[in-house]
Coordinates of all heavy atoms in Angstrom, one line a residue:
L1 N 58.0 8.1 80.0 CA 59.2 7.6 79.4 C 59.0 6.1 79.2 O 58.6 5.4 80.1 CB 60.4 7.8 80.3 CG 61.7 7.3 79.9 CD1 62.3 8.2 78.8 CD2 62.7 7.2 81.1
T2 N 59.3 5.6 78.0 CA 59.1 4.2 77.6 C 60.4 3.7 77.0 O 60.9 4.4 76.1 CB 58.0 4.0 76.6 OG1 56.8 4.5 77.2 CG2 57.8 2.6 76.3
V3 N 60.9 2.6 77.4 CA 62.0 2.0 76.8 C 61.4 1.0 75.7 O 60.7 0.1 76.1 CB 62.9 1.2 77.8 CG1 64.0 0.5 77.1 CG2 63.5 2.2 78.8
N4 N 61.8 1.2 74.5 CA 61.2 0.4 73.4 C 61.9 -0.9 73.2 O 63.1 -1.1 73.5 CB 61.3 1.2 72.1 CG 60.5 2.5 72.2 OD1 59.4 2.5 72.7 ND2 61.1 3.6 71.7
D5 N 61.2 -1.9 72.8 CA 61.7 -3.3 72.5 C 62.4 -3.3 71.2 O 61.8 -3.1 70.1 CB 60.6 -4.3 72.5 CG 61.0 -5.7 72.3 OD1 62.2 -5.9 72.0 OD2 60.1 -6.6 72.3
G6 N 63.8 -3.5 71.2 CA 64.6 -3.5 70.0 C 64.2 -4.6 69.0 O 64.6 -4.5 67.9
N7 N 63.5 -5.6 69.5 CA 63.1 -6.7 68.6 C 61.8 -6.5 67.9 O 61.4 -7.2 67.0 CB 63.1 -8.0 69.4 CG 64.4 -8.4 69.9 OD1 65.4 -8.3 69.2 ND2 64.5 -8.8 71.2
Y8 N 61.0 -5.5 68.4 CA 59.7 -5.2 67.8 C 59.8 -4.6 66.4 O 59.3 -5.1 65.4 CB 58.9 -4.3 68.7 CG 57.5 -4.1 68.3 CD1 56.6 -5.1 68.1 CD2 57.0 -2.8 68.0 CE1 55.3 -4.9 67.6 CE2 55.8 -2.6 67.5 CZ 54.9 -3.6 67.4 OH 53.6 -3.4 66.9
I9 N 60.4 -3.4 66.3 CA 60.7 -2.8 65.0 C 62.1 -2.5 64.9 O 62.7 -1.7 65.6 CB 59.9 -1.5 64.9 CG1 58.4 -1.7 65.0 CG2 60.2 -0.8 63.5 CD1 57.5 -0.4 65.0
Q10 N 62.8 -3.2 64.0 CA 64.3 -3.1 63.8 C 64.6 -1.6 63.5 O 64.1 -1.0 62.5 CB 64.8 -4.0 62.7 CG 66.3 -3.9 62.6 CD 66.8 -4.7 61.4 OE1 66.0 -4.9 60.4 NE2 68.0 -5.0 61.4
G11 N 65.5 -1.0 64.3 CA 66.0 0.3 64.1 C 65.2 1.4 64.7 O 65.7 2.6 64.7
F12 N 64.1 1.1 65.4 CA 63.3 2.1 66.0 C 64.1 2.6 67.3 O 64.7 1.8 67.9 CB 61.9 1.6 66.5 CG 60.9 2.7 66.7 CD1 60.3 3.3 65.7 CD2 60.7 3.1 68.0 CE1 59.3 4.3 66.0 CE2 59.8 4.1 68.3 CZ 59.1 4.7 67.3
P13 N 64.1 3.9 67.6 CA 64.8 4.5 68.7 C 64.5 3.8 70.0 O 63.5 3.2 70.2 CB 64.4 5.9 68.7 CG 64.0 6.2 67.3 CD 63.4 5.0 66.8
D14 N 65.5 3.9 70.9 CA 65.5 3.1 72.2 C 64.4 3.7 73.2 O 63.9 2.9 73.9 CB 66.8 3.2 72.9 CG 67.9 2.5 72.0 OD1 67.6 1.4 71.5 OD2 69.0 3.1 71.9
I15 N 64.2 5.0 73.2 CA 63.4 5.6 74.2 C 62.3 6.5 73.5 O 62.6 7.3 72.6 CB 64.2 6.5 75.2 CG1 65.2 5.6 75.9 CG2 63.4 7.2 76.1 CD1 66.2 6.3 76.7
T16 N 61.1 6.4 74.0 CA 60.0 7.3 73.6 C 59.6 8.1 74.9 O 59.4 7.5 75.9 CB 58.8 6.5 73.1 OG1 59.2 5.8 72.0 CG2 57.7 7.5 72.7
I17 N 59.5 9.4 74.7 CA 59.1 10.3 75.8 C 57.8 10.9 75.4 O 57.6 11.6 74.4 CB 60.2 11.4 75.9 CG1 61.6 10.8 76.2 CG2 59.8 12.4 77.0 CD1 62.7 11.7 76.0
L18 N 56.8 10.7 76.3 CA 55.5 11.3 76.2 C 55.3 12.4 77.2 O 55.4 12.1 78.4 CB 54.4 10.2 76.3 CG 54.5 9.0 75.4 CD1 53.5 7.9 75.8 CD2 54.4 9.4 74.0
H19 N 55.2 13.6 76.8 CA 55.1 14.7 77.7 C 53.7 15.1 78.0 O 52.8 14.9 77.1 CB 55.9 15.9 77.0 CG 56.1 17.1 77.9 ND1 55.3 18.1 78.0 CD2 57.1 17.3 78.8 CE1 55.8 19.0 78.9 NE2 56.9 18.5 79.4
D20 N 53.4 15.6 79.2 CA 52.0 15.9 79.5 C 51.4 17.1 78.7 O 50.2 17.3 78.7 CB 51.9 16.2 81.0 CG 52.7 17.4 81.5 OD1 53.4 18.0 80.7 OD2 52.7 17.7 82.7
S21 N 52.3 17.8 77.9 CA 51.7 18.8 77.0 C 51.1 18.2 75.8 O 50.6 19.0 74.9 CB 52.9 19.8 76.7 OG 53.8 19.1 75.8
G22 N 51.2 16.9 75.6 CA 50.8 16.3 74.4 C 51.9 16.1 73.3 O 51.7 15.5 72.3
R23 N 53.0 16.7 73.6 CA 54.2 16.5 72.8 C 54.9 15.2 73.1 O 54.8 14.7 74.2 CB 55.1 17.7 72.9 CG 54.4 19.0 72.5 CD 55.4 20.2 72.6 NE 54.7 21.4 72.3 CZ 54.4 21.8 71.0 NH1 54.8 21.1 70.0 NH2 53.8 23.0 70.9
W24 N 55.8 14.8 72.1 CA 56.5 13.6 72.3 C 57.8 13.6 71.6 O 58.1 14.5 70.8 CB 55.7 12.4 71.8 CG 55.3 12.4 70.4 CD1 54.3 13.2 69.8 CD2 56.0 11.8 69.3 NE1 54.4 13.0 68.4 CE2 55.4 12.1 68.1 CE3 57.1 10.9 69.2 CZ2 55.8 11.7 66.9 CZ3 57.5 10.4 68.0 CH2 56.8 10.8 66.8
A25 N 58.7 12.7 72.0 CA 60.1 12.7 71.4 C 60.6 11.3 71.5 O 60.1 10.5 72.2 CB 61.0 13.7 72.1
C26 N 61.7 11.0 70.7 CA 62.4 9.7 70.8 C 63.9 10.0 70.9 O 64.4 11.0 70.3 CB 62.1 8.9 69.6 SG 60.4 8.2 69.5
L27 N 64.6 9.1 71.5 CA 66.0 9.1 71.6 C 66.7 7.8 71.3 O 66.2 6.7 71.7 CB 66.5 9.5 73.0 CG 66.1 10.9 73.5 CD1 66.5 11.1 75.0 CD2 66.7 12.0 72.7
E28 N 67.7 7.8 70.5 CA 68.5 6.6 70.2 C 69.7 6.7 71.0 O 70.5 7.7 70.9 CB 68.9 6.5 68.7 CG 69.8 5.4 68.4 CD 69.3 4.1 68.7 OE1 68.0 3.8 68.5 OE2 70.1 3.2 69.1
V29 N 70.0 5.8 71.9 CA 71.1 5.9 72.9 C 72.3 5.1 72.4 O 72.1 3.9 71.9 CB 70.6 5.3 74.3 CG1 71.8 5.3 75.3 CG2 69.4 6.0 74.8
K30 N 73.4 5.7 72.4 CA 74.7 5.1 72.0 C 75.7 5.3 73.1 O 75.7 6.3 73.8 CB 75.2 5.8 70.7 CG 74.3 5.6 69.5 CD 74.3 4.2 69.0 CE 73.5 4.0 67.7 NZ 73.4 2.6 67.3
R31 N 76.6 4.4 73.2 CA 77.7 4.4 74.2 C 78.7 5.5 73.8 O 79.4 6.1 74.7 CB 78.4 3.1 74.3 CG 77.6 2.0 74.9 CD 78.4 0.8 75.1 NE 77.6 -0.3 75.5 CZ 77.2 -1.3 74.8 NH1 77.5 -1.4 73.5 NH2 76.4 -2.2 75.3
S32 N 78.8 5.8 72.5 CA 79.9 6.8 72.1 C 79.4 7.4 70.8 O 78.6 6.8 70.0 CB 81.2 6.0 71.8 OG 81.9 6.6 70.8
I33 N 79.9 8.6 70.5 CA 79.5 9.3 69.3 C 80.0 8.6 68.0 O 79.4 8.7 66.9 CB 80.0 10.8 69.3 CG1 79.2 11.6 68.3 CG2 81.5 10.8 69.0 CD1 79.2 13.1 68.7
D34 N 81.0 7.7 68.2 CA 81.5 6.9 67.1 C 80.9 5.6 66.9 O 81.2 4.9 65.9 CB 83.0 6.7 67.3 CG 83.8 8.0 67.3 OD1 83.4 8.9 66.5 OD2 84.7 8.1 68.1
E35 N 79.9 5.2 67.7 CA 79.3 3.9 67.6 C 78.4 3.8 66.3 O 77.8 4.8 65.9 CB 78.4 3.6 68.8 CG 77.8 2.2 68.8 CD 77.0 1.9 70.1 OE1 77.2 2.7 71.1 OE2 76.3 1.0 70.1
Q36 N 78.5 2.7 65.6 CA 77.8 2.6 64.3 C 76.3 2.4 64.5 O 75.8 1.9 65.5 CB 78.3 1.3 63.6 CG 79.8 1.3 63.3 CD 80.0 2.3 62.2 OE1 79.3 2.4 61.2 NE2 81.1 3.1 62.3
Y37 N 75.6 2.9 63.5 CA 74.1 2.8 63.5 C 73.8 1.4 63.1 O 74.5 0.8 62.2 CB 73.4 3.8 62.6 CG 73.4 5.2 63.2 CD1 74.2 6.2 62.7 CD2 72.4 5.5 64.1 CE1 74.1 7.4 63.3 CE2 72.3 6.8 64.6 CZ 73.2 7.7 64.2 OH 73.1 9.0 64.7
Q38 N 72.7 0.8 63.6 CA 72.2 -0.5 63.1 C 71.3 -0.2 61.9 O 70.9 0.9 61.7 CB 71.4 -1.2 64.3 CG 72.3 -1.5 65.5 CD 73.4 -2.4 65.1 OE1 73.2 -3.5 64.5 NE2 74.6 -2.1 65.6
P39 N 70.9 -1.3 61.2 CA 70.0 -1.1 60.0 C 68.8 -0.3 60.5 O 68.2 -0.6 61.5 CB 69.7 -2.5 59.6 CG 70.9 -3.3 60.0 CD 71.4 -2.7 61.3
N40 N 68.4 0.6 59.7 CA 67.1 1.4 59.8 C 67.2 2.5 60.9 O 66.3 3.3 61.0 CB 65.9 0.5 60.0 CG 65.7 -0.4 58.9 OD1 65.9 -0.1 57.8 ND2 65.2 -1.7 59.3
Q41 N 68.2 2.6 61.7 CA 68.2 3.6 62.8 C 68.2 5.0 62.2 O 67.5 5.8 62.7 CB 69.4 3.3 63.7 CG 69.2 2.2 64.6 CD 70.3 2.0 65.6 OE1 71.5 2.2 65.3 NE2 70.0 1.5 66.8
E42 N 69.1 5.3 61.3 CA 69.1 6.6 60.7 C 67.8 7.0 60.0 O 67.4 8.1 60.1 CB 70.3 6.7 59.7 CG 71.7 6.7 60.4 CD 72.8 6.8 59.4 OE1 73.0 5.8 58.7 OE2 73.4 7.9 59.4
Y43 N 67.2 6.0 59.4 CA 65.9 6.2 58.7 C 64.9 6.6 59.8 O 64.2 7.6 59.6 CB 65.4 4.9 58.0 CG 64.0 5.0 57.6 CD1 63.6 5.7 56.5 CD2 63.0 4.3 58.3 CE1 62.3 5.8 56.1 CE2 61.7 4.4 58.0 CZ 61.3 5.1 56.8 OH 60.0 5.2 56.5
Y44 N 64.7 5.9 60.9 CA 63.7 6.2 61.9 C 64.1 7.5 62.6 O 63.1 8.3 62.9 CB 63.6 5.1 62.9 CG 62.7 4.0 62.4 CD1 63.2 2.7 62.1 CD2 61.3 4.2 62.1 CE1 62.4 1.7 61.6 CE2 60.5 3.2 61.6 CZ 61.0 2.0 61.3 OH 60.2 1.0 60.8
I45 N 65.3 7.8 62.8 CA 65.7 9.1 63.5 C 65.2 10.3 62.6 O 64.6 11.2 63.1 CB 67.2 9.2 63.8 CG1 67.5 8.2 64.9 CG2 67.6 10.6 64.1 CD1 69.0 8.0 65.1
Q46 N 65.5 10.2 61.3 CA 65.0 11.2 60.4 C 63.5 11.3 60.3 O 62.9 12.4 60.3 CB 65.7 11.0 59.0 CG 65.4 12.2 58.1 CD 66.2 12.0 56.8 OE1 66.3 10.9 56.2 NE2 66.8 13.1 56.3
L47 N 62.9 10.2 60.1 CA 61.4 10.1 60.0 C 60.7 10.7 61.2 O 59.9 11.6 61.1 CB 60.9 8.7 59.8 CG 59.4 8.5 59.7 CD1 58.9 9.0 58.4 CD2 59.1 7.0 59.8
I48 N 61.1 10.3 62.4 CA 60.5 10.8 63.6 C 60.8 12.2 63.9 O 60.0 13.0 64.3 CB 60.9 9.9 64.8 CG1 60.4 8.5 64.6 CG2 60.5 10.5 66.2 CD1 61.0 7.4 65.5
N49 N 62.1 12.6 63.6 CA 62.4 14.0 63.8 C 61.6 15.0 62.9 O 61.3 16.1 63.3 CB 63.9 14.3 63.5 CG 64.4 15.6 64.0 OD1 64.2 15.9 65.2 ND2 64.9 16.4 63.1
N50 N 61.2 14.5 61.7 CA 60.3 15.3 60.9 C 58.9 15.4 61.5 O 58.2 16.4 61.2 CB 60.2 14.7 59.5 CG 61.5 14.9 58.7 OD1 62.2 15.8 58.9 ND2 61.7 14.0 57.7
M51 N 58.5 14.4 62.3 CA 57.2 14.5 62.9 C 57.2 15.2 64.3 O 56.2 15.9 64.6 CB 56.7 13.1 63.2 CG 56.3 12.3 61.9 SD 55.5 10.7 62.3 CE 57.0 9.7 62.6
S52 N 58.3 15.1 65.0 CA 58.3 15.6 66.4 C 59.8 16.0 66.7 O 60.2 17.0 66.3 CB 57.8 14.6 67.4 OG 57.8 15.1 68.7
F53 N 60.4 15.1 67.5 CA 61.8 15.3 67.8 C 62.5 14.0 68.0 O 61.9 13.1 68.7 CB 61.9 16.1 69.2 CG 63.3 16.3 69.7 CD1 64.1 17.4 69.3 CD2 63.9 15.4 70.5 CE1 65.4 17.6 69.7 CE2 65.2 15.6 70.9 CZ 65.9 16.7 70.6
C54 N 63.7 13.8 67.4 CA 64.4 12.6 67.6 C 65.9 12.8 67.4 O 66.2 13.5 66.4 CB 63.9 11.5 66.6 SG 64.6 9.9 66.9
R55 N 66.7 12.3 68.3 CA 68.1 12.5 68.2 C 68.8 11.2 68.7 O 68.3 10.5 69.5 CB 68.6 13.7 69.0 CG 68.1 15.0 68.7 CD 68.8 15.6 67.4 NE 68.4 17.0 67.2 CZ 67.3 17.4 66.7 NH1 66.4 16.5 66.4 NH2 67.0 18.7 66.5
M56 N 70.1 11.1 68.3 CA 71.0 10.1 68.9 C 71.6 10.8 70.0 O 72.1 12.0 69.9 CB 72.0 9.7 67.8 CG 73.0 8.6 68.4 SD 74.4 9.3 69.3 CE 75.4 10.0 68.1
I57 N 71.7 10.2 71.2 CA 72.3 10.7 72.4 C 73.4 9.8 72.9 O 73.2 8.6 72.8 CB 71.2 11.0 73.5 CG1 71.8 11.8 74.6 CG2 70.6 9.7 73.9 CD1 70.8 12.4 75.5
C58 N 74.5 10.4 73.3 CA 75.6 9.7 73.9 C 76.3 10.6 74.9 O 75.9 11.8 74.9 CB 76.5 9.3 72.7 SG 77.3 10.7 71.9
P59 N 77.3 10.1 75.6 CA 77.9 11.0 76.6 C 78.5 12.3 76.0 O 78.5 13.3 76.6 CB 79.0 10.1 77.2 CG 78.5 8.7 77.0 CD 77.7 8.7 75.7
E60 N 79.0 12.2 74.8 CA 79.7 13.4 74.2 C 78.7 14.5 73.8 O 79.1 15.6 73.6 CB 80.5 13.0 72.9 CG 81.6 12.0 73.2 CD 81.3 10.5 73.1 OE1 80.1 10.2 73.2 OE2 82.2 9.8 73.0
N61 N 77.4 14.2 73.6 CA 76.5 15.2 73.1 C 75.3 15.4 74.0 O 74.3 16.1 73.6 CB 76.0 14.9 71.7 CG 75.1 13.8 71.5 OD1 74.8 13.1 72.5 ND2 74.6 13.6 70.3
K62 N 75.3 14.7 75.2 CA 74.1 14.7 76.0 C 73.6 16.1 76.4 O 72.4 16.4 76.4 CB 74.2 13.8 77.2 CG 75.2 14.3 78.2 CD 75.3 13.4 79.4 CE 76.3 13.9 80.4 NZ 76.5 13.0 81.5
T63 N 74.5 17.0 76.7 CA 74.1 18.4 77.1 C 73.3 19.1 76.0 O 72.2 19.7 76.2 CB 75.3 19.2 77.5 OG1 75.9 18.6 78.6 CG2 74.9 20.6 78.0
E64 N 73.8 19.0 74.8 CA 73.2 19.7 73.6 C 71.8 19.0 73.3 O 70.8 19.7 73.1 CB 74.0 19.6 72.4 CG 75.4 20.3 72.5 CD 76.5 19.4 72.9 OE1 76.6 18.3 72.4 OE2 77.2 19.8 73.9
V65 N 71.8 17.7 73.4 CA 70.5 17.0 73.1 C 69.5 17.3 74.2 O 68.3 17.5 73.8 CB 70.8 15.5 72.9 CG1 69.4 14.7 72.8 CG2 71.6 15.2 71.7
Y66 N 69.9 17.3 75.4 CA 68.9 17.6 76.5 C 68.4 19.0 76.3 O 67.2 19.3 76.5 CB 69.5 17.5 77.9 CG 69.8 16.1 78.3 CD1 70.9 15.8 79.2 CD2 68.9 15.0 78.0 CE1 71.1 14.5 79.6 CE2 69.1 13.7 78.4 CZ 70.2 13.5 79.2 OH 70.4 12.2 79.7
D67 N 69.2 20.0 76.0 CA 68.8 21.4 75.7 C 67.8 21.4 74.6 O 66.7 22.1 74.7 CB 70.0 22.3 75.4 CG 70.8 22.6 76.6 OD1 70.4 22.3 77.8 OD2 72.0 23.1 76.4
E68 N 68.1 20.7 73.5 CA 67.2 20.7 72.3 C 65.8 20.0 72.7 O 64.8 20.5 72.3 CB 67.8 20.0 71.1 CG 69.0 20.7 70.5 CD 69.6 19.9 69.4 OE1 69.0 19.0 68.9 OE2 70.7 20.3 69.0
L69 N 65.9 18.9 73.4 CA 64.7 18.2 73.8 C 63.9 19.1 74.7 O 62.6 19.1 74.5 CB 65.2 16.9 74.6 CG 64.0 16.1 75.2 CD1 63.1 15.6 74.1 CD2 64.6 14.9 76.0
Y70 N 64.4 19.7 75.7 CA 63.7 20.6 76.5 C 62.9 21.7 75.7 O 61.7 21.9 75.9 CB 64.6 21.3 77.6 CG 63.9 22.2 78.5 CD1 63.2 21.8 79.6 CD2 64.0 23.6 78.3 CE1 62.5 22.7 80.4 CE2 63.4 24.5 79.1 CZ 62.6 24.0 80.2 OH 62.0 24.9 81.0
K71 N 63.6 22.3 74.8 CA 63.0 23.3 74.0 C 61.9 22.8 73.1 O 60.9 23.4 72.9 CB 64.1 24.0 73.1 CG 65.0 24.9 73.9 CD 66.1 25.5 73.1 CE 67.1 26.2 73.9 NZ 68.3 26.6 73.2
S72 N 62.1 21.6 72.6 CA 61.1 21.0 71.7 C 59.8 20.6 72.5 O 58.7 20.5 71.9 CB 61.6 19.8 71.0 OG 61.7 18.6 71.8
L73 N 59.9 20.3 73.8 CA 58.8 19.9 74.5 C 58.0 21.1 75.2 O 57.0 20.9 75.8 CB 59.2 18.9 75.6 CG 59.7 17.6 75.1 CD1 60.1 16.7 76.2 CD2 58.6 16.9 74.3
E74 N 58.6 22.3 75.1 CA 58.0 23.5 75.7 C 56.7 23.7 75.0 O 56.6 23.6 73.7 CB 58.9 24.7 75.6 CG 60.0 24.8 76.5 CD 60.8 26.0 76.3 OE1 60.8 26.6 75.2 OE2 61.5 26.4 77.3
P75 N 55.7 24.2 75.7 CA 54.4 24.5 75.0 C 54.6 25.7 74.1 O 55.4 26.6 74.4 CB 53.5 24.9 76.2 CG 54.1 24.4 77.4 CD 55.6 24.3 77.1
K76 N 54.0 25.6 72.9 CA 54.0 26.8 72.0 C 53.1 27.9 72.5 O 52.0 27.6 73.0 CB 53.5 26.3 70.6 CG 54.4 25.2 70.0 CD 55.7 25.7 69.6 CE 56.5 24.6 68.9 NZ 57.9 24.7 68.9
R77 N 53.5 29.1 72.3 CA 52.7 30.3 72.8 C 52.0 30.9 71.6 O 52.4 31.0 70.6 CB 53.6 31.2 73.5 CG 54.2 30.6 74.8 CD 55.0 31.6 75.5 NE 55.8 30.9 76.5 CZ 55.7 31.1 77.8 NH1 54.9 32.0 78.3 NH2 56.4 30.4 78.6

């Protein structure tokens, strides 16, 4: 788990998760589902999600996002 530097690449998600299976994911953390995106955040969420897994997570959707994240990091059979 890595907390990304918000000043390095504007809009890049807050957290990168590197799984021992070789899979990875990113999460953009928000205080609320209604919190506004900063410039480039939606772009990076979509770009990274096309490569691996990326979601915005907040208290209102954390259960669903954790479930999706768990499934995305499971090894493929």
Side-chain angles (χ1 to χ4, degrees):
L1 178 76
T2 302
V3 177
N4 298 318
D5 180 357
N7 296 317
Y8 183 61
I9 299 176
Q10 181 187 23
F12 199 81
D14 298 315
I15 298 173
T16 301
I17 301 162
L18 304 174
H19 193 265
D20 62 0
S21 67
R23 298 182 183 281
W24 60 281
C26 289
L27 297 173
E28 174 60 37
V29 181
K30 297 288 185 188
R31 289 185 186 105
S32 150
I33 202 156
D34 297 323
E35 188 175 343
Q36 297 291 317
Y37 284 103
Q38 298 299 313
N40 299 325
Q41 285 182 327
E42 289 179 289
Y43 167 78
Y44 279 112
I45 290 170
Q46 187 174 43
L47 178 72
I48 295 167
N49 193 56
N50 288 337
M51 291 187 275
S52 182
F53 177 90
C54 189
R55 297 285 188 281
M56 181 277 288
I57 189 167
C58 63
E60 296 92 339
N61 73 355
K62 68 181 181 183
T63 301
E64 299 91 49
V65 172
Y66 287 148
D67 288 345
E68 291 177 16
L69 174 63
Y70 178 80
K71 290 175 185 171
S72 77
L73 295 176
E74 285 182 334
K76 301 288 184 200
R77 295 182 194 242

